[in-house]
Amino acid sequence: MEKNSFQIPVHLQQRISAEQAFHYRIVPVAESGDALVLKTDTESLQTLLAELNIVLDKPVSLQPCDTEELQQYLTTNYRKSTTNESAQLGYTNDFLEKILLGAQNMGSSDIHFEPYEERCRIRFRLDGKLIEQYSIPIQDYPTMVNKIKVRAHLDIAEKRLPQDGRITVKSNGSEFDIRVSSLPTLYGEKLVLRILSRETGAVELEALGFTESELDRYKEGIRKPNGIVLISGPTGSGKTTTLYATLKLLNRPETNILTIEDPIEYTLEGVNQVQLKENIGLDFASSLRTFLRQDPDIIMVGEIRDVKTANMAIRAALTGHLVLSTIHTNSAWATISRLIDMGVPPFLIASTLNMSVAQRLIRKLCVHCKKEEKLDSAQLPSSFQIPKNLNRHFTATGCNQCYHTGYSGRKALYEILPITKELALPIKENQLEIDKHFKKHKIDTLKTNAIDMVQQGITTIEEVYALLTN
């Protein structure tokens, strides 16, 4: 049977919860009149049927199937929770609560509510990819939107303009925040909910993906008493997590750390965190100006978006502070070009920038099912020069352990460029070709690190293809 033939339509999937599916060993495969047709590998069909009629409160029809087939159905269509709390989720009366808690327990980073002409689909972002989890009739959608907007303290009467808010969810002693963003679309408001973890226990530099030499180089840059450290990459590449892990390392009783963020994704004991509020004038640049009067040692700015913020960050670095921030560029060297394009004088960049870091998040192959194959040069970009020792690679297969995706977890990929005296000269003179410098100092680029991960069997060519074209 082909892998895709185990995929159950979403409207059937949501008829039972993941907890019910795994507990009773059942999967819904069809509807026959009012009855729900379920496949199962349970031998005592009559006992199971009697219990399911009560639990599901609907007529049920059972089809026997072998254990291997059922297991593939289960792991292709349902994910087990990462915590024990979720046992109750299938029985809650509040569908919205079920979605929010279910997404957090599964390790989802975002929830998308998307209205269309006849239905609304609800997708979770898991390991960087969107997966459809629920589908609801369009007539029920406005009620759900209003429930979310009320909890996020948004104006339910305003449907023409985008809005942003925040929800705090409490469940069985644990607490997490959700950032809510609404956007008017053709058939209603699209909502995206970003799940913000308050747990910083797992945020450690050593666990993010640095090689040993990269970690040493990075720690050297952040331990300087002043200057700027910039981390670049697209949205969702893990920049903020790297910044928090850095702050966690630098956080000491004798150090005053101030941050301005949008949003505050993790809470750190001992760090003074400020939430950005542009509607009342509390933006990055004005906060930085105030921070300088707060006797800081280290300042973290969520993002450098404009020349005003960049100039304030440089001013803070020049007056003896260490500034950490993020910026949207494609490589470590492109960060310098971006600052120059913003209008920051090259000599100021050369004298204040300690280190430029670029990063990406790459999905890791499942160790249980990855398959080694001979390399076909057609799988690589035509412009890419294939290393002599790259003749084999691993591909994603899919098994019960990885929910038949072929991948399990993600790893950060880094490009770390320390700004040395030798490099300061080409920056001052705006010379933007420094390939020789990378080779001379053996600085690994995103491309070289990506191909290393392919050679080591950590990821696939498909995952790093975009990096190999640069």
Side-chain angles (χ1 to χ4, degrees), residues 23 25 63 175 217 230 273 299 391 394 401 461:
H23 178 72
R25 304 284 300 168
Q63 285 183 2
E175 198 172 304
R217 199 179 298 142
L230 286 179
Q273 296 173 269
I299 297 170
N391 45 34
F394 285 85
Q401 298 289 331
I461 290 171

Side-chain angles (χ1 to χ4, degrees), residues 407-437:
Y407 297 92
S408 180
R410 290 189 291 176
K411 181 183 173 80
L413 206 105
Y414 291 94
E415 176 178 300
I416 297 175
L417 180 64
I419 308 303
T420 59
K421 288 180 181 178
E422 184 185 346
L423 199 53
L425 187 61
I427 293 174
K428 285 177 186 174
E429 295 176 356
N430 206 355
Q431 295 173 1
L432 302 181
E433 291 297 326
I434 58 153
D435 289 345
K436 289 178 183 175
H437 180 85

Side-chain angles (χ1 to χ4, degrees), residues 129 191 328:
K129 302 292 179 185
L191 299 180
H328 286 283

Side-chain angles (χ1 to χ4, degrees), residues 282-340:
L282 185 63
D283 57 15
F284 287 129
S286 61
S287 302
L288 265 171
R289 196 174 294 111
T290 307
F291 280 6
L292 294 178
R293 297 193 287 271
Q294 288 280 319
D295 186 30
D297 297 296
I298 298 166
I299 297 170
M300 193 266 264
V301 184
E303 185 186 338
I304 290 181
R305 296 176 181 169
D306 50 45
V307 67
K308 208 161 115 182
T309 309
N311 282 331
M312 282 305 303
I314 283 169
R315 182 178 156 192
L318 287 170
T319 51
H321 307 93
L322 180 65
V323 181
L324 309 172
S325 191
T326 70
I327 193 167
H328 286 283
T329 61
N330 290 327
S331 69
W333 186 243
T335 294
I336 292 149
S337 310
R338 175 86 179 101
L339 290 171
I340 292 169

Side-chain angles (χ1 to χ4, degrees), residues 192-264:
V192 175
L193 279 59
R194 165 64 61 89
I195 298 171
L196 309 172
S197 172
R198 291 189 173 187
E199 299 299 319
T200 56
V203 184
E204 302 285 350
L205 281 175
E206 287 76 11
L208 297 182
F210 288 103
T211 64
E212 199 173 323
S213 61
E214 284 174 343
L215 187 59
D216 291 342
R217 199 179 298 142
Y218 184 74
K219 284 182 175 178
E220 192 179 326
I222 62 173
R223 282 184 170 138
K224 291 180 180 176
N226 60 330
I228 303 174
V229 174
L230 286 179
I231 301 175
S232 69
T235 303
S237 59
K239 302 186 297 294
T240 307
T241 302
T242 301
L243 278 183
Y244 277 114
T246 305
L247 288 180
K248 197 173 175 186
L249 182 72
L250 298 172
N251 188 11
R252 295 193 183 95
E254 67 273 13
T255 306
N256 180 22
I257 302 177
L258 295 168
T259 77
I260 173 72
E261 306 169 56
D262 183 29
I264 296 171

